[in-house]
Amino acid sequence: AKVTSHWTGEDCMRLSVAALGASVEGDVTIEDTQVVFQVALPPALAFFEPAIAGAIRSNGQKLLTKT
């Protein structure tokens, strides 16, 4: 997979992931109490939206939890 990202502001990052002929664009916004992912899935991947959202939620929570 090819992942590119750049910060568009102090608390906003633009993200692009390309793999297997498909690409996904999204934004990550860091707020005071949460991190918000907004991802635009192409129609061919829309079926996988619940699984992708669950993976982001689960893995994102692990990354944000102090151990």
Side-chain angles (χ1 to χ4, degrees):
K2 179 181 178 185
V3 178
T4 58
S5 64
H6 65 276
W7 291 94
T8 59
E10 183 176 299
D11 56 2
C12 220
M13 181 177 67
R14 185 80 178 142
L15 182 68
S16 175
V17 180
L20 302 172
S23 63
V24 176
E25 304 277 329
D27 295 304
V28 180
T29 305
I30 301 169
E31 298 180 351
D32 289 338
T33 60
Q34 65 183 353
V35 177
V36 178
F37 285 83
Q38 293 179 322
V39 179
L41 293 176
L45 296 178
F47 176 77
F48 296 105
E49 186 272 332
I52 294 169
I56 290 172
R57 191 172 295 111
S58 173
N59 292 319
Q61 186 63 41
K62 289 176 189 174
L63 290 171
L64 294 171
T65 302
K66 291 183 181 180
T67 56

